[in-house]
């Protein structure tokens, strides 16, 4: 995975004491200039692959699932690309949703534009917000623009259309973002879906492959229609200044897999969280995800990636610093990797046999009743709890006002008994999952089974 290198900006983002004069040239200035909508304060994302979400694979069928998702507790529904899929050089029989034939139309496989609007209206009525997956870097070979404006596309050394360089994305061709026409075409499409259908924002595919000034310009234009939420599939923080609310935490995702496989120990997370605190603006949201459409097998019971470590990492993703997300089927322990270019509906039958749905529901409720666990500037920093078994016990405290949450995670395949080194975790708490009253004192010893964890909270709402 690509590595984020941002030391040059760390001082800009560091929290500082109040300045004495407004015109002080050395006064720190806020890095993030685009405020988050209030409804993102403790929001949890839920990704929907419309084709595989239901046996029917339609917006109408997905709409029928909204009450279930409301009970689960998620807030922002992310629909994978909803546009017609290109036929030229298509992969598989149905093609990739990320091969867009027309930015202004709806894939008939999923229904009509009226069906999409009905889904969005119903979602809004039930308290959700809805974002669309936007593929701006490239289009299908048979997108209307390729014939009408061939000069809007990048060319290879032979002067022909080309897929994204180096990748095996043979079903798409890259747009040339130096062309104003490209920017207007895609930007106005984004505005269309927000204005006419009521969409609340976008998840931007390979956002870093599109010039940042386009995203900043377009975010400002969208905000004139309504407050939106923007998620970038990318890895660096400059996108959070004026364009995006959130970016991916690829490093976090890769690191937890390494720990689960025994290739690294709990201290492997120190680098991520050190950078998160020292080199990222506090207001930036970073998506701490377990799985998504690019990595979407249920990896708990098969042991492919997480095995018995999965519940602990799910719990960490919902309580540590980060924007939490559920990929459709995750709550039902879907065990198969979903096909990308064919119909392959999620197997929901195991939902009654696994405990993950209950765990996710309870973690969302825990997150929302503890203000310290909020997103971005609304939540509290993670403070490391020192202990004598750091390669196994990953421990932290997040506290804001009267709310304090203590997380104790054994990120190893062996039981651990560890001594807490200082008074930071001391206090009286209620334990997540059991409701028991627990008191922790300075220097206490804690014992956890392999991949066990405990979440303790006090002063929650």
């Amino acid at each position: 995975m690509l590595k984020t290198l941002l030391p040059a900006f760390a001082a800009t983002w560091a929290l500082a004491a109040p300045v004495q004069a407004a015109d002080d040239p050395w006064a720190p200035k806020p890095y993030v200039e685009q405020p988050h909508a209030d409804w993102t304060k403790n929001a949890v994302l839920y990704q929907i692959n419309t084709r595989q979400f239901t046996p029917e694979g339609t917006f109408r069928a997905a709409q029928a699932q909204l009450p279930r998702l409301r009970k689960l507790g998620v807030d922002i529904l992310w629909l994978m690309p909803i546009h017609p899929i290109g036929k030229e050089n298509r992969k598989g029989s149905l093609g990739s949703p990320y091969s867009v034939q027309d930015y202004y139309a709806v894939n008939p496989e999923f229904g009509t534009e009226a069906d999409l609007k009905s889904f969005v209206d119903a979602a809004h009525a039930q308290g959700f917000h809805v974002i669309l997956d936007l593929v701006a870097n490239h289009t299908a070979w048979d997108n209307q623009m390729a014939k009408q404006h061939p000069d809007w596309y990048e060319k290879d050394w032979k002067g022909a259309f080309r897929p994204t360089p180096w990748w095996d994305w043979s079903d798409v061709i890259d747009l040339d973002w130096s062309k104003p026409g490209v920017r207007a075409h895609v930007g106005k499409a984004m505005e269309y879906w927000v204005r006419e259908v009521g969409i609340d924002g976008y998840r931007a595919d390979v956002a870093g492959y599109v010039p940042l000034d386009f995203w900043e310009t377009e975010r400002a234009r969208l905000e004139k229609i309504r407050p939106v939420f923007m998620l970038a599939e990318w890895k660096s923080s400059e996108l959070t200044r004026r364009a995006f609310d959130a970016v991916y935490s690829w490093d976090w995702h890769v690191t937890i897999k390494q720990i689960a496989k025994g290739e690294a120990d709990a201290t492997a997370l120190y680098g991520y969280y050190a950078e998160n605190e020292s080199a990222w603006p506090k207001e930036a949201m970073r998506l701490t995800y377990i799985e998504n459409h690019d990595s979407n097998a249920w990896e708990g019971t098969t042991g492919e990636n997480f095995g018995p470590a999965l519940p602990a990492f799910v719990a960490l993703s919902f309580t540590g610093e980060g924007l939490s997300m559920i990929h459709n089927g995750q709550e039902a322990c879907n065990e198969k990797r979903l096909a990308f270019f064919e119909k392959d509906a999620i197997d929901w039958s195991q939902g009654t046999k696994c405990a993950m749905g209950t765990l996710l529901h309870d973690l969302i409720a825990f997150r929302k009743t503890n203000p310290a666990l909020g997103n971005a500037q609304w939540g509290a920093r993670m403070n490391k709890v020192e202990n004598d078994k750091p390669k196994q016990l990953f421990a932290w405290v997040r506290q804001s006002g009267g709310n304090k949450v203590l997380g104790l995670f054994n990120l190893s395949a062996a039981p651990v008994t560890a001594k807490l080194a200082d008074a930071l975790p001391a206090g009286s708490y209620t334990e997540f999952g059991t409701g028991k009253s627990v008191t922790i004192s300075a220097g206490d010893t804690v014992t956890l089974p392999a991949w066990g964890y405990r979440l303790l909270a006090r002063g929650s709402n």
Side-chain angles (χ1 to χ4, degrees):
M1 288 295 173
L2 295 172
K3 191 171 182 66
T4 307
L5 297 174
L6 303 167
F9 301 105
T12 302
W13 302 326
L15 297 177
V19 296
Q20 298 300 313
D23 59 352
D24 184 347
W26 302 109
K29 298 176 177 61
Y31 184 78
V32 174
E33 299 176 12
Q34 176 57 58
H36 308 304
D38 289 342
W39 44 268
T40 64
K41 181 177 181 178
N42 54 18
V44 173
L45 271 68
Y46 187 93
Q47 183 185 9
I48 296 176
N49 181 339
T50 305
R51 176 184 288 167
Q52 318 298 20
F53 187 54
T54 63
E56 301 87 350
T58 63
F59 298 129
R60 287 187 179 183
Q63 183 174 327
Q65 297 298 313
L66 292 177
R68 178 181 67 79
L69 297 180
R70 185 71 279 162
K71 290 180 181 178
L72 183 61
V74 296
D75 307 281
I76 301 175
L77 306 180
W78 155 17
L79 294 177
M80 281 174 59
I82 54 91
H83 306 298
I85 295 170
K87 296 180 179 178
E88 186 176 350
N89 295 325
R90 171 179 285 189
K91 291 186 176 183
S93 63
L94 295 179
S96 167
Y98 293 86
S99 177
V100 176
Q101 192 181 61
D102 186 348
Y103 288 108
Y104 290 82
V106 168
N107 185 352
E109 176 188 347
F110 304 151
T112 65
E113 183 174 322
D115 292 334
L116 174 62
K117 191 172 192 313
S118 177
F119 175 90
V120 173
D121 289 346
H124 287 165
Q126 295 183 48
F128 296 105
H129 289 82
V130 181
I131 65 173
L132 296 185
D133 213 326
L134 178 75
V135 190
N137 174 64
H138 48 259
T139 76
W141 288 76
D142 49 359
N143 186 291
Q144 57 181 325
M145 289 190 290
K147 291 185 177 180
Q148 297 174 1
H149 302 283
D151 58 311
W152 287 3
Y153 286 82
E154 293 181 350
K155 307 298 191 301
D156 65 14
W157 64 275
K158 295 177 293 185
F161 293 131
R162 69 171 190 180
T164 303
W166 301 93
W167 294 110
D168 62 347
W169 302 345
S170 59
D171 56 341
V172 297
I173 48 178
D174 271 18
L175 289 165
D176 182 349
W177 281 86
S178 71
K179 306 295 185 181
V182 170
R183 295 170 177 243
H185 185 91
V186 177
K188 289 179 180 179
M190 293 174 68
E191 294 158 28
Y192 174 85
W193 297 108
V194 171
R195 181 182 294 110
E196 302 301 327
V197 181
I199 294 302
D200 300 297
Y202 292 92
R203 176 264 183 188
D205 189 62
V206 289
Y209 288 9
V210 174
L212 178 56
D213 69 296
F214 167 76
W215 294 125
E216 293 180 341
T217 297
E218 189 54 37
R219 175 64 184 264
R221 291 173 63 90
L222 292 173
E223 288 289 330
K224 292 180 180 179
I225 304 173
R226 69 165 56 83
V228 294
F229 170 80
M230 299 286 287
L231 167 64
E233 186 196 26
W234 201 239
K235 63 191 185 311
S236 52
S237 60
E238 69 270 14
L239 276 70
T240 67
R241 188 166 194 172
R242 300 188 187 95
F244 290 91
D245 299 272
V247 295
Y248 275 46
S249 290
W250 279 327
D251 287 350
W252 186 89
H253 180 74
V254 170
T255 300
I256 64 171
K257 283 190 175 183
Q258 291 172 338
I259 296 172
K261 293 178 181 179
E263 298 171 355
D265 60 47
T267 63
L269 282 169
Y270 289 1
Y272 172 82
Y273 285 109
E275 180 184 290
N276 183 66
E277 184 166 344
S278 300
W280 282 72
K282 179 69 167 64
E283 298 83 1
M285 300 183 192
R286 304 183 74 185
L287 186 69
T288 49
Y289 67 99
I290 298 296
E291 63 170 271
N292 66 7
H293 63 282
D294 287 325
S295 176
N296 70 77
W298 178 251
E299 296 153 342
T301 57
T302 64
E304 177 187 348
N305 284 296
F306 289 104
L310 186 61
F313 285 117
V314 169
L316 180 59
S317 76
F318 276 84
T319 56
E321 287 186 58
L323 178 65
S324 305
M325 189 193 91
I326 298 172
H327 179 249
N328 55 192
Q330 191 176 343
E331 69 271 38
C333 300
N334 178 65
E335 291 192 345
K336 64 180 179 179
R337 186 174 183 85
L338 301 176
F340 208 69
F341 311 117
E342 309 293 343
K343 177 64 179 173
D344 185 25
I346 294 169
D347 178 8
W348 293 101
S349 66
Q350 296 187 68
T352 58
K353 305 174 187 177
C354 80
M356 187 53 63
T358 299
L359 176 60
L360 289 167
H361 170 275
D362 293 349
L363 284 169
I364 293 173
F366 182 75
R367 178 183 176 89
K368 292 183 178 181
T369 55
N370 287 282
L373 304 183
N375 294 325
Q377 74 273 12
W378 293 294
R381 282 291 189 198
M382 294 168 65
N383 290 292
K384 179 185 174 187
V385 173
E386 300 291 348
N387 67 87
D388 63 352
K389 299 289 177 60
K391 291 186 177 181
Q392 290 181 273
L393 182 64
F394 185 72
W396 47 264
V397 164
R398 298 182 72 183
Q399 53 187 337
S400 177
N403 182 221
K404 183 176 182 179
V405 178
L406 168 61
L408 302 167
F409 291 80
N410 177 11
L411 301 185
S412 77
V416 64
T417 297
K419 184 176 182 179
L420 306 179
D422 53 42
L424 174 62
S428 297
Y429 304 91
T430 299
E431 185 171 32
F432 170 77
T434 69
K436 293 180 180 179
S437 296
V438 177
T439 298
I440 300 291
S441 300
D444 271 2
T445 296
V446 297
T447 298
L448 291 169
W451 304 114
Y453 67 93
R454 298 179 73 186
L455 295 167
L456 308 175
R458 75 178 186 195
S460 58
N461 290 339

